[in-house]
Amino acid sequence: AVVSTQSGHYGRGLLLQKKSRVQLLKKSRLQQLKKSRLQLLKNSRLLLQKKSRVQLLKKSRLQQLKKSRLQLLKKSRLQLLKKSRVLQLKKSRLQHLKKSRLLKLKKSLLL
C-alpha cells in the first residue's frame, strides 16, 4: 500500500523508517540537551563551591590579620605600660633620694 504525505508518496515500510529516524533524532537531541544541562549544573555547582572556598580562605586570612594586629597592639600596649612603670619607678626613686638627701641635710644642719 502506498501512503501519500506532504513530502511525497511512500510505501508503508519507508514511512515507518522515516518516522523511526525522526524519533531517534529527537531522542538524541533530547539526550544532548539533558547532558548539556547537567554539565551546566555541574559547572555552576563547582563554581559555587570554588567561590565559597575562596570566600572562606579570604575570611580566614582576614581573621589571621586581625589576630596579628591585635597581638601587635597588645604587645605595644604592654611595652608602653612597662616603660611607664619603669619611668614611674625612676621618678619615685629620684623623689625618695631627694627626700632622703634633704632629710640628711636638715639633720646635719640641726646638729
Side-chain angles (χ1 to χ4, degrees):
V2 176
V3 179
S4 59
T5 62
Q6 286 178 346
S7 55
H9 302 291
Y10 291 97
R12 261 199 196 148
L14 286 176
L15 191 69
L16 284 174
Q17 278 180 357
K18 187 176 181 187
K19 277 186 181 177
S20 62
R21 250 187 276 128
V22 168
Q23 283 175 340
L24 277 174
L25 272 174
K26 280 183 183 176
K27 266 190 187 177
S28 67
R29 281 186 193 141
L30 276 175
Q31 283 174 342
Q32 281 178 340
L33 266 175
K34 280 183 185 175
K35 273 187 187 178
S36 63
R37 281 187 191 141
L38 278 174
Q39 194 65 36
L40 278 173
L41 236 171
K42 198 175 181 183
N43 286 346
S44 63
R45 279 189 192 144
L46 284 174
L47 212 110
L48 275 174
Q49 284 177 349
K50 194 175 183 183
K51 277 186 183 177
S52 61
R53 251 188 269 129
V54 166
Q55 283 175 338
L56 277 175
L57 271 174
K58 280 183 184 176
K59 268 190 184 176
S60 68
R61 281 188 193 137
L62 275 175
Q63 284 173 342
Q64 281 178 339
L65 266 176
K66 282 182 184 176
K67 273 187 184 177
S68 62
R69 282 185 190 146
L70 275 174
Q71 283 175 340
L72 274 174
L73 262 175
K74 280 183 184 176
K75 275 187 185 178
S76 62
R77 280 185 191 151
L78 276 175
Q79 284 175 341
L80 278 174
L81 268 175
K82 282 182 185 177
K83 276 186 186 178
S84 67
R85 282 185 192 147
V86 166
L87 283 174
Q88 279 178 342
L89 270 174
K90 281 184 183 176
K91 274 186 183 177
S92 63
R93 281 188 195 143
L94 274 174
Q95 284 174 344
H96 186 71
L97 261 175
K98 281 182 186 176
K99 277 185 183 177
S100 63
R101 281 186 189 155
L102 277 173
L103 278 173
K104 279 183 187 178
L105 262 175
K106 277 185 183 178
K107 275 187 184 178
S108 66
L109 284 174
L110 283 175
L111 290 173

